[in-house]
Amino acid sequence: MEKQPLLGFRRGIHNSENTEEKQTLITGAHDADVTVATERHYTKNLAFAIAACVCGSSFMLGYNTGVVNTPATIIKDFYNASYNKRQGTNSSKYLSTISISVLWATTVSVFALGGMIGGLSAGYWCNKYGRKGALLRNNLLHLLSAALMYYSNFINSYEMLIAGRLLVGICAGINSGAAPLYLMEIAPTSLRGFAGVFNQLAINIGILVSQILGLDSVMGTKDLWPCDLGATVVPIVIMLCSLPWCPESPRFLMLTAMDENKAEKALIWLRETEDVGEDMDEMKREAETQTRMPEELNITVVWLPYLAIVSVICYIIAFASGPGSIPWFMVAEIFSQGPRSAAISVSTMVNWFSNFTVGLVFPLLNELAIHQYSFLPFVVLLIIFLNFIYRRVPETKGKTFEQISLLFRRPDMMVYESIIQQDSINTA
């Protein structure tokens, strides 16, 4: 690794001609150097480690998110049949519609509850067992959840199904914390953003596969729906057989386990070269920076993580109650019957494309561009969208499809909306 003084960097000193290099400003407590880091490229071992990681973690998160949606009617029939069989051979007692709805809502939502529990414990798992160790141990627990969901049909126990969904949610929460950590820490700096995209990509593929397997012509039948829920064992076994061949996160080995030799061996395997001094030096500088951090600063900012957690929770609540839910059905309201299906298709495509874009761009902003200010561009976008919605999107509450359609044909939309609203009040 080559270091140049900050003054030399400002004067435009350059390095050797044939090497693609990236200049990163590293500021310590007592000095300021500019480190020139050689740009890394993907290796076969790195690609294998990423695939092994997302196969049994991110993919499973997406699969279990959507697996119960398509066979919903069959699972509700299973509730009724199980209840009836418990009452005796000739019983005519069945669950009420409300009871079935409550059971179904519980089956779906308990997955998210488990995810919150697992997410809160992900940090503990990752620090105690390592990123790779957490993923492997968690997927052993995942096998138990798959068994619970698969065998629930054979012993007529919807409680077992719900317990399996809760347990698989806990596993998904742990995976959702451990997998991104592992991906970010095994990839070189120049590839971290790109490696992170595979996490979201695997989630989307998992959702797609779950919807396909849940079709009536595949596994969404009265006899095969347990196989649909239990099919999670396939990617789990693949991960359990492949990830052990991959090394633990070098950053975890170096900065948490304090094992420099293992960290170097892990880097050599991932980079497929023995020239890993640059990565080792970068991790050593990070360790030194943490050691030099004044104790007073730690005391001063100890409340900041809690403020961040509260802010994230408030954001999730606000998103779920507004932008996360309303656009899905508002699109159906503002289009008439003819183009409505096409409009829903376009809006859905834009939604997932936006998810992909955020997943691709945010890591780049966070790690390579504006770092801790990486949320500011989204704040600007929110202000722009808020202004657009206020000025251009009409209120659909209490209006017929015809009235809503007319609002989009008038240049003076806000005035015309008031007239329609007043007319609706007078009619009522």
Side-chain angles (χ1 to χ4, degrees):
M1 168 161 310
E2 181 181 350
K3 287 188 177 179
Q4 297 176 345
L6 184 57
L7 183 61
F9 168 70
R10 286 176 176 168
R11 290 176 181 171
I13 297 178
H14 299 287
N15 282 326
S16 57
E17 317 153 352
N18 298 326
T19 307
E20 281 190 36
E21 297 171 333
K22 180 175 67 175
Q23 294 176 334
T24 307
L25 187 61
I26 308 295
T27 305
H30 306 291
D31 57 1
D33 295 324
V34 170
T35 305
V36 180
T38 304
E39 185 174 350
R40 300 284 186 180
H41 299 284
Y42 266 110
T43 63
K44 290 182 291 184
N45 286 347
L46 178 61
F48 178 77
I50 291 174
C53 172
V54 301
C55 176
S57 57
S58 309
F59 177 86
M60 298 305 303
L61 171 58
Y63 187 89
N64 286 299
T65 299
V67 69
V68 295
N69 293 337
T70 309
T73 303
I74 297 174
I75 295 176
K76 290 177 183 179
D77 292 339
F78 157 71
Y79 297 153
N80 236 343
S82 298
Y83 179 81
N84 177 259
K85 289 178 182 178
R86 293 179 184 182
Q87 307 308 311
T89 308
N90 300 319
S91 174
S92 59
K93 293 183 178 180
Y94 291 93
L95 290 168
S96 65
T97 304
I98 295 177
S99 298
I100 292 176
S101 298
V102 170
L103 281 174
W104 173 247
T106 303
T107 303
V108 175
S109 61
V110 77
F111 175 76
L113 176 63
M116 288 187 284
I117 297 172
L120 287 173
S121 63
Y124 170 80
W125 282 64
C126 290
N127 287 332
K128 182 174 178 62
Y129 301 110
R131 284 58 165 140
K132 169 188 167 182
L135 289 168
L136 291 173
R137 287 171 172 81
N138 184 44
N139 270 0
L140 290 174
L141 188 64
H142 216 147
L143 289 173
L144 175 60
S145 66
L148 286 173
M149 292 187 291
Y150 176 78
Y151 287 108
S152 62
N153 181 52
F154 300 101
I155 62 173
N156 299 310
S157 174
Y158 44 77
E159 294 89 352
M160 184 181 289
L161 173 60
I162 294 173
R165 287 284 294 172
L166 175 64
L167 189 55
V168 80
I170 294 174
C171 295
I174 296 172
N175 278 335
S176 65
L181 271 178
Y182 186 72
L183 292 175
M184 293 299 98
E185 293 182 359
I186 64 173
T189 303
S190 58
L191 296 175
R192 283 176 189 164
F194 192 54
V197 171
F198 286 96
N199 181 59
Q200 184 63 38
L201 178 62
I203 293 174
N204 293 339
I205 294 174
I207 294 173
L208 175 63
V209 172
S210 71
Q211 299 300 305
I212 294 174
L213 293 182
L215 294 174
D216 296 344
S217 57
V218 189
M219 289 186 180
T221 65
K222 184 178 180 180
D223 297 325
L224 293 179
W225 71 265
C227 299
D228 189 22
L229 271 63
T232 53
V233 297
V234 176
I236 292 172
V237 170
I238 293 175
M239 182 187 196
L240 291 174
C241 292
S242 58
L243 193 61
W245 296 95
C246 304
E248 179 56 85
S249 158
R251 194 168 293 271
F252 169 81
L253 294 171
M254 181 77 172
L255 302 179
T256 304
M258 303 297 180
D259 193 329
E260 185 175 337
N261 290 332
K262 286 186 178 180
E264 186 174 10
K265 290 179 181 178
L267 282 171
I268 291 173
W269 189 90
L270 290 165
R271 307 292 184 262
E272 297 183 11
T273 176
E274 294 188 359
D275 183 17
V276 295
E278 183 179 305
D279 296 277
M280 295 294 294
D281 289 345
E282 191 270 331
M283 289 190 292
K284 289 177 182 178
R285 284 196 306 272
E286 182 177 345
E288 291 170 2
T289 302
Q290 292 176 354
T291 304
R292 289 200 303 256
M293 183 178 292
E295 187 175 343
E296 303 93 310
L297 181 60
N298 286 334
I299 296 173
T300 304
V301 302
V302 69
W303 56 271
L304 288 178
Y306 299 100
L307 177 61
I309 292 172
V310 172
S311 300
V312 169
I313 293 173
C314 293
Y315 170 80
I316 292 173
I317 293 172
F319 177 81
S321 61
S325 55
I326 294 176
W328 290 104
F329 55 83
M330 191 172 184
V331 172
E333 287 183 312
I334 62 179
F335 286 90
S336 58
Q337 183 65 29
R340 188 174 298 154
S341 298
I344 289 290
S345 298
V346 172
S347 65
T348 303
M349 180 197 68
V350 171
N351 183 284
W352 285 110
F353 177 76
S354 300
N355 287 339
F356 170 78
T357 303
V358 171
L360 178 65
V361 173
F362 182 79
L364 301 178
L365 291 175
N366 187 38
E367 295 178 14
L368 305 179
I370 54 180
H371 307 294
Q372 67 267 30
Y373 303 107
S374 52
F375 280 96
L376 292 181
F378 300 97
V379 174
V380 174
L381 289 174
L382 285 174
I383 294 173
I384 294 172
F385 296 147
L386 178 63
N387 181 64
F388 174 81
I389 291 171
Y390 178 77
R391 293 178 177 274
R392 294 296 178 185
V393 178
E395 177 58 66
T396 60
K397 180 181 178 181
K399 296 182 177 68
T400 64
F401 289 116
E402 183 181 7
Q403 290 174 333
I404 296 170
S405 180
L406 286 173
L407 288 174
F408 284 92
R409 301 176 189 173
R410 303 283 300 192
D412 49 347
M413 182 187 299
M414 300 297 287
V415 177
Y416 196 60
E417 181 178 357
S418 300
I419 296 173
I420 290 181
Q421 188 69 36
Q422 187 61 42
D423 182 62
S424 300
I425 295 173
N426 293 336
T427 303

